[in-house]
Amino acid sequence: MIEIVTDWRGLPDGLKGAAVAIGAFDGVHRGHQAVIAAARDAAAALGAPLGVISFDPHPRRWFQPDAAPFRLMTPAQMARALDPLGVDRLYLLPFDSDMAALSDDSFAREVLAGPQVARSAVGHSDGLGIRHAAVGFDVTYGKGRTGSPEGLRRHGYSSGDTVSVAAPVDDPDGLKLASSAVREAVRAGDMQRAAAILGRPFAIEGEVIHGDKRGRTIGVPTANIRLGDYMRPAFGVYATRTRLPDGRLVDGVSSLGLRPMFALEEPLLEVWLFDFDGDLYSQTVETELIAFLRGEQAFPDLDALKAQIEADAEAARAALAPG
C-alpha cells in the first residue's frame, strides 16, 4: 500500500532519502509514467524507496482560483494509479503561500534538500533528503516557473543527489501524451482517446448524494455525484462502469450535465447501475466513462424520457459487452 506524506518539514529520517519523480502528475498518464519509470530505475540502483512528489491543490488552482474546473483526478485516485507502478511513497505537498514564494533554488534546497545539503551548513536540513530526482523534459518549478531540468542538475552537482530527465514519449498512434490532450479528449467526449493517453478509462470519484428522486418514479434509480473540481466532460449520456466501496465493478448508463428538462444549476453525474439494488447514499464510488453515447436533449414528458433511457441502456450494454 502506497504511503502518503503531506509535508516536507519535520519528517523523520525514515521518510527521507527516496528516489523521486517530480511533477503535478494530474492524470498519471503514459507520459507521466515514463518519468516515474526513470525514478524507479534509479531507486533500484540506489536501493532507495521510490517516491513521487506532487502538490495539493494543483498549482494552477492556487494561481488561478477562479479558473474553470480542470482536474483529471482526486488525490485518492492519484495514489491508486501510482500504486501498481511500484511507488512506495506519494509526497503530496501543500501548495500554499509558502510553497508559491519559493525560488527555484530555494525549492531545491529547502524542499528537496539532498543528503549532502542536509549535512552541511548550506541550506536547510528540514527537507526530503532525496537521492535522485526524475523530471520531464519540460518541467518548471519555483516562483515565476524559473526552474528547469538543468537547474536541478546544477543543484545535484553541489548536493550529491542525481537527476535524470525523461525525453518525450513517442506514441505509435501519434497521440500527444499530455494532461492537456486528455482534457481535450474528455471535453470532446472522446473517451477512447482519453483512455489511450491515460492507459485506463477516465473516471469520476465522489460521494453519492440525495437527488430529487425523479428516476425512481420511472423505475430508473440513480446514484448522483457532484463533479466538484473535475474538468467538465462533454455533457450527455455515457456507457459507464462504477467501482463500489466493496470493490465490485458494475456496468451502467450515466447522464452527465445539466438535464435540460429540469435545468440544474450545477452539472451532475447520475449513474443507473444495471442489476444492482442497494443503498449507496453517503458512500464514495468511482465511475469510469467508457463510451459517449449521445448529447443532452430535452423530452416532452417523462414517458418519452423513460423510452430514451431504455434505449440508452441497451446501447450502453452493447458498448460494454466483451469483445
Side-chain angles (χ1 to χ4, degrees), residues 207-291:
E207 180 182 327
V208 178
I209 62 171
H210 288 274
D212 55 26
K213 299 182 173 60
R214 285 193 183 95
R216 294 182 181 278
T217 67
I218 57 174
V220 186
T222 58
N224 301 321
I225 299 127
R226 293 192 181 98
L227 298 186
D229 203 32
Y230 280 104
M231 70 153 297
R232 298 329 191 212
F235 287 174
V237 175
Y238 291 82
T240 56
R241 286 194 177 96
T242 297
R243 182 171 290 100
L244 304 184
D246 62 10
R248 282 182 293 163
L249 273 176
V250 181
D251 289 355
V253 63
S254 299
S255 172
L256 190 155
L258 296 170
R259 291 196 300 179
M261 284 185 68
F262 306 111
L264 298 182
E265 293 184 2
E266 293 290 333
L268 195 68
L269 176 65
E270 299 177 273
V271 184
W272 178 25
L273 299 172
F274 299 150
D275 308 314
F276 175 81
D277 183 17
D279 183 355
L280 294 173
Y281 289 124
S282 301
Q283 299 186 60
T284 297
V285 300
E286 182 183 46
T287 297
E288 299 174 348
L289 307 187
I290 304 299

Side-chain angles (χ1 to χ4, degrees), residues 52-242:
V52 164
I53 294 176
S54 186
F55 306 93
D56 188 38
H58 191 292
R60 179 173 164 186
R61 175 56 67 209
W62 173 265
F63 289 114
Q64 302 176 40
D66 298 326
F70 64 89
R71 290 300 298 263
L72 296 172
M73 60 177 18
T74 65
Q77 287 176 301
M78 180 182 290
R80 287 200 299 275
L82 293 173
D83 197 37
L85 302 179
V87 175
D88 301 299
R89 198 172 296 150
L90 170 58
Y91 295 100
L92 195 61
L93 304 184
F95 201 94
D96 53 17
S97 56
D98 290 341
M99 180 69 77
L102 290 175
S103 68
D104 53 5
D105 184 67
S106 294
F107 175 79
R109 291 184 177 277
E110 297 185 30
V111 179
L112 304 183
Q116 292 185 14
V117 170
R119 289 195 295 268
S120 74
V122 180
H124 294 255
S125 61
D126 201 26
L128 300 178
I130 66 166
R131 297 180 64 188
H132 180 89
V135 296
F137 70 98
D138 57 351
V139 73
T140 59
Y141 59 93
K143 186 176 181 180
R145 302 176 68 180
T146 54
S148 66
E150 184 55 39
L152 273 182
R153 281 195 169 119
R154 288 195 298 270
H155 169 73
Y157 296 151
S158 63
S159 68
D161 52 294
T162 57
V163 177
S164 60
V165 181
V169 179
D170 291 326
D171 178 79
D173 297 321
L175 292 171
K176 179 183 177 182
L177 302 182
S179 297
S180 59
V182 179
R183 294 189 184 99
E184 179 183 300
V186 171
R187 194 175 294 116
D190 190 344
M191 309 318 299
Q192 288 80 4
R193 180 158 59 100
I197 300 170
L198 289 168
R200 65 186 179 283
F202 172 75
I204 292 173
E205 182 177 68
E207 180 182 327
V208 178
I209 62 171
H210 288 274
D212 55 26
K213 299 182 173 60
R214 285 193 183 95
R216 294 182 181 278
T217 67
I218 57 174
V220 186
T222 58
N224 301 321
I225 299 127
R226 293 192 181 98
L227 298 186
D229 203 32
Y230 280 104
M231 70 153 297
R232 298 329 191 212
F235 287 174
V237 175
Y238 291 82
T240 56
R241 286 194 177 96
T242 297

